[in-house]
Amino acid sequence: MIRISVTSKLDGIRSWSLQALETCPGSIAEPATHSSPVVLVDACKGCYATQGNYRYPNVKAPRIENREDWKREGWVDDMVKALDSDRYFRWFDSGDVYAIGLAEKILQVMQQTPWVKHWMPTRMHKFVKFQAILSAMDALPNVKVRLSSDSVVGQYVKGLHGSVIVPDARVDPDQVTLCRAYENNGKCSGCRACYDKAIPVIAYPAHGRSMAKVIRLRLA
Ligand code: SF4
């Protein structure tokens, strides 16, 4: 069964999601040595999808079920039908496209729903075997794949990353497009910049106490 989530932030735009961190191999920082403990990259240390409402069983359940559901025959057809009335769609409000088989199926859904503008943030570009399929998705006229920078202090690679976290709203508008959801109670309020292929990099001002702590440590 297709399980779609809706977050109030996105103006009611729907999303297909998985559990954060356990489907996010790109959230793990390169270990210093083989025996080093697992450490998350800065951007994932204060992950919103591991806090607040995301800890409730009714929010976790569809994300856990989706991890099995995508493997069944007929999932692509069912997703295409489920998107019949959508004009915008966000992949992975939480979680990431952790398996090549899932990426191949999502590509098919994107190809078969040209009436939908798809936005997919991801860190899977760090793994060479995912790069070709992410490029194939992004080459579609109705898809924007945003490769996320790991930085929380605005550092990104031009021409590679499509989004980055910044400590506050003081950004160079010639370089990045600022997400202004913070001016609208955390809601998109009609903005659709993340879905827009013409916008190379979105800068998201950090929010939340845990992210503020990560930034303090990084800027110290
Ligand atoms: S940049 Fe626009 S579309 Fe993207 S999250 Fe912010 S308000 Fe929403």
Side-chain angles (χ1 to χ4, degrees):
M1 177 182 170
I2 300 295
R3 291 191 176 272
I4 304 276
S5 38
V6 181
T7 53
S8 56
K9 176 187 174 177
L10 299 178
D11 297 346
I13 288 171
R14 306 193 310 153
S15 181
W16 188 90
S17 296
L18 297 170
Q19 270 292 89
L21 297 186
E22 60 192 59
T23 61
C24 302
S27 68
I28 310 291
E30 283 285 324
T33 67
H34 284 308
S35 54
S36 301
V38 170
V39 175
L40 295 178
V41 299
D42 283 350
C44 297
K45 283 178 182 158
C47 176
Y48 64 87
T50 59
Q51 304 166 25
N53 290 350
Y54 287 88
R55 286 183 295 197
Y56 294 149
N58 65 322
V59 177
K60 286 169 94 166
R63 288 165 170 76
I64 292 167
E65 286 173 31
N66 280 347
R67 187 168 181 177
E68 291 309 311
D69 190 49
W70 71 262
K71 298 170 187 168
R72 70 178 162 82
E73 206 176 316
W75 183 83
V76 171
D77 290 345
D78 288 351
M79 271 304 301
V80 171
K81 279 187 210 132
L83 297 187
D84 194 37
S85 301
D86 294 79
R87 291 298 172 265
Y88 293 88
F89 194 74
R90 156 89 184 256
W91 290 93
F92 304 108
D93 172 57
S94 61
D96 206 343
V97 54
Y98 69 101
I100 283 287
L102 173 59
E104 286 166 347
K105 287 193 171 184
I106 289 177
L107 175 61
Q108 289 176 48
V109 174
M110 291 166 164
Q111 288 167 329
Q112 292 177 40
T113 54
W115 61 89
V116 180
K117 282 190 166 32
H118 298 261
W119 159 34
M120 191 171 86
T122 183
R123 293 181 200 283
M124 295 308 294
H125 58 284
K126 296 177 184 179
F127 305 99
V128 173
K129 69 176 181 178
F130 281 84
Q131 290 170 359
I133 194 146
L134 293 175
S135 296
M137 290 175 185
D138 197 51
L140 294 171
N142 59 324
V143 177
K144 184 60 199 166
V145 177
R146 292 200 178 274
L147 309 184
S148 307
S149 161
D150 290 338
S151 171
V152 294
V153 292
Q155 294 169 340
Y156 66 94
V157 177
K158 213 170 177 174
L160 173 71
H161 294 128
S163 66
V164 63
I165 295 171
V166 289
D168 53 46
R170 290 170 294 177
V171 299
D172 179 350
D174 291 336
Q175 300 296 323
V176 297
T177 298
L178 184 67
C179 170
R180 296 188 173 276
Y182 67 93
E183 292 176 347
N184 300 299
N185 291 325
K187 295 190 175 18
C188 292
S189 301
C191 173
R192 299 290 180 263
C194 288
Y195 309 79
D196 189 339
K197 292 177 80 70
I199 296 181
V201 184
I202 309 269
Y204 302 104
H207 53 83
R209 260 186 283 172
S210 33
M211 188 56 81
K213 191 173 162 200
V214 178
I215 290 171
R216 267 201 312 277
L217 290 171
R218 194 50 66 199
L219 293 176

